[in-house]
Amino acid sequence: MNILRLKALAGAGCFSIALIGAAMHPAHAGGLERGGYDIDLLFDPSPVATEAEATYVMPDRKYKNARGPGGADLGFGSSAKGSEDYWVPRIGVKAQVVQGVDCMVDYSQPWGAHTAPGVWNGAFSNMETDIKSDNYAATCSYKFDAGKGQLRFIGGVFYQKVYGFKEDLVSPFVPDFGGTGRVDLTSSGWGWRAGVAYEIPDIALRASLVYNSKVKLDNIEGTLDLTNVGLGTIPIYGSTQYMPDVVELKLQSGVAPGWLAFGSIKWTNWSTLQSVPICPVGVPSSLCFSNSPAEVTSLDLMYRDGWTVSGGIGHKFNDQWSAAGQLSWDRGTSHGYGAQTDTWTVGGGVAYTPQPNIEVRLAGAIGVMTSGHSGTVIGPNGKIIGDDASYDFGNDLVTAINGGIKIKF
């Protein structure tokens, strides 16, 4: 086996996982996941490395056979668009602080969701929901020689802001569907990460296991705007919630001169988000729980845990060109309520290195979001969820494109 070629491939291995993962991961992930967490830049062997990328995701989910409360045909339309296109940016800088110690700071948007079905039979449930996030992180690692390779310990913290709104139909008696209500919410919290990795650069081998903690959101606040139905604006708050913790195992290894195989398994604790009760400011927190008399509205998610499994292969053609492909499966987080079913995705991409310190990437992905039905389920404290809308959906297409650049010093 040509060891020099495999050493050259080590950089391409980082490219393979970062490039294809960036293109595909947001396209298929369940729950509120968009960009997720990514610390691959931390492993770059350069003294200083900067990276910027953006992914544009185009899910084409369609609702059909929609019915309103009690299964009634409200005459608003039985079909609707169930997803909106979106961007996922990421930027990061990594530097070697001293020999063996590397640190990285980055900005990302790990969570989000946007649906805007508008006027349809499910309008009492949702006309538009838009959730966004901002994540600012600092991560460091310490590596030392161990056996044939190097052992690396990883740790970091991140600050996360989550915010958004939901709008639905409150009263059908206002002309031109103007009887809408809107909830605006925002919150923030801190999280931490810890992990371990083992690397043998001579054969481009790397195995990493990283845990990202929950983020406690205990300051959820906002407004309930009911001015369209004559009730004014009400200050509101939500009970304490948690964004999910995540465990991810990643593996890669050179398998032949110029060739790299890689894969990952990830678990995301989406079942921590069920139904988020929203109450007026002034109501004691002890009375603000799901299905309580004080609950004026809620954000109903009813997720189960997510699993993502992926694998692929990369090839370095020469010093300037590399390519990779990947197949991925994501277990849907919806199970009877919602439209997040299993997704299968295939992706591919290329990297061009015009100079040793510059790498330009372009990738794409295409996948299938499997079919299902959303209806009534029983939530926390016996709350009935989904009785205001039911609908079906078929096997729908999702596509994504990704571009990025890395500059090393």
Side-chain angles (χ1 to χ4, degrees):
M1 183 174 287
N2 189 325
I3 297 298
L4 294 178
R5 285 291 300 278
L6 283 176
K7 284 185 176 180
L9 182 58
C14 295
F15 139 73
S16 301
I17 293 179
L19 174 66
I20 304 304
M24 295 180 58
H25 181 76
H28 66 212
L32 299 176
E33 189 158 342
R34 283 196 169 171
Y37 297 123
D38 187 346
I39 63 167
D40 284 341
L41 182 62
L42 186 67
F43 296 95
D44 192 286
S46 305
V48 178
T50 63
E51 184 176 56
E53 65 181 20
T55 305
Y56 188 63
V57 184
M58 297 159 281
D60 192 25
R61 178 64 89 192
K62 299 182 181 70
Y63 301 152
K64 57 185 180 181
N65 304 323
R67 293 292 184 268
D73 184 352
L74 304 178
F76 300 161
S78 61
S79 62
K81 185 177 181 181
S83 58
E84 297 293 316
D85 301 348
Y86 57 89
W87 285 97
V88 183
R90 184 189 302 275
I91 187 169
V93 179
K94 170 263 177 186
Q96 183 185 74
V97 180
V98 296
Q99 185 66 34
V101 178
D102 298 285
C103 288
M104 178 187 77
V105 293
D106 70 290
Y107 165 79
S108 63
Q109 296 179 0
W111 321 124
H114 191 195
T115 62
V119 178
W120 64 308
N121 278 340
F124 283 103
S125 173
N126 178 38
M127 294 181 69
E128 183 174 9
T129 299
D130 192 3
I131 300 172
K132 299 179 180 179
S133 65
D134 298 305
N135 192 78
Y136 306 89
T139 308
C140 292
S141 69
Y142 171 65
K143 63 180 180 180
F144 55 91
D145 292 338
K148 295 182 178 180
Q150 296 175 320
L151 186 64
R152 184 189 298 253
F153 291 104
I154 301 165
V157 296
F158 45 90
Y159 172 77
Q160 199 167 104
K161 181 179 180 181
V162 183
Y163 53 99
F165 71 88
K166 181 180 181 183
E167 187 174 284
D168 56 37
L169 188 64
V170 177
S171 171
F173 302 111
V174 180
D176 300 320
F177 297 98
T180 59
R182 174 176 167 131
V183 173
D184 285 87
L185 293 170
T186 185
S187 188
S188 60
W190 289 86
W192 56 271
R193 63 170 52 104
V196 62
Y198 187 71
E199 303 159 88
I200 304 179
D202 285 350
I203 57 173
L205 183 146
R206 184 168 81 227
S208 64
L209 180 65
V210 178
Y211 171 78
N212 296 277
S213 76
K214 291 181 180 180
V215 176
K216 185 179 182 181
L217 304 178
D218 57 1
N219 58 344
I220 302 174
E221 58 184 10
T223 57
L224 172 60
D225 187 350
L226 296 174
T227 55
N228 288 344
V229 293
L231 297 178
T233 299
I234 304 170
I236 55 174
Y237 76 99
S239 66
T240 298
Q241 300 293 315
Y242 293 87
M243 299 309 294
D245 44 345
V246 181
V247 179
E248 186 167 21
L249 172 67
K250 289 186 175 182
L251 302 169
Q252 70 169 63
S253 179
V255 292
W259 290 91
L260 180 94
F262 57 89
S264 65
I265 300 174
K266 183 174 68 174
W267 168 80
T268 307
N269 187 19
W270 283 116
S271 61
T272 192
L273 287 172
Q274 295 297 299
S275 179
V276 182
I278 307 299
C279 300
V281 170
V283 171
S285 59
S286 60
L287 299 179
C288 189
F289 55 87
S290 186
N291 210 24
S292 74
E295 183 183 61
V296 293
T297 187
S298 61
L299 178 61
D300 300 322
L301 299 171
M302 299 303 296
Y303 291 146
R304 66 175 177 176
D305 289 350
W307 286 92
T308 304
V309 181
S310 62
I313 192 163
H315 181 54
K316 184 177 178 70
F317 298 100
N318 51 48
D319 290 339
Q320 291 186 315
W321 290 97
S322 300
Q326 178 173 300
L327 173 66
S328 184
W329 167 76
D330 186 81
R331 188 181 82 157
T333 53
S334 298
H335 52 116
Y337 173 79
Q340 296 189 0
T341 51
D342 289 11
T343 302
W344 292 88
T345 315
V346 176
V350 296
Y352 173 59
T353 308
Q355 300 179 26
N357 66 323
I358 299 176
E359 181 180 88
V360 181
R361 310 165 182 165
L362 181 64
I366 185 170
V368 175
M369 302 178 290
T370 55
S371 60
H373 172 80
S374 178
T376 301
V377 298
I378 304 300
N381 301 318
K383 181 180 180 180
I384 299 175
I385 293 174
D387 58 339
D388 49 4
S390 64
Y391 52 89
D392 301 319
F393 43 90
N395 295 317
D396 294 321
L397 188 69
V398 57
T399 55
I401 56 173
N402 169 271
I405 184 170
K406 178 188 284 188
I407 301 176
K408 299 177 282 188
F409 303 95

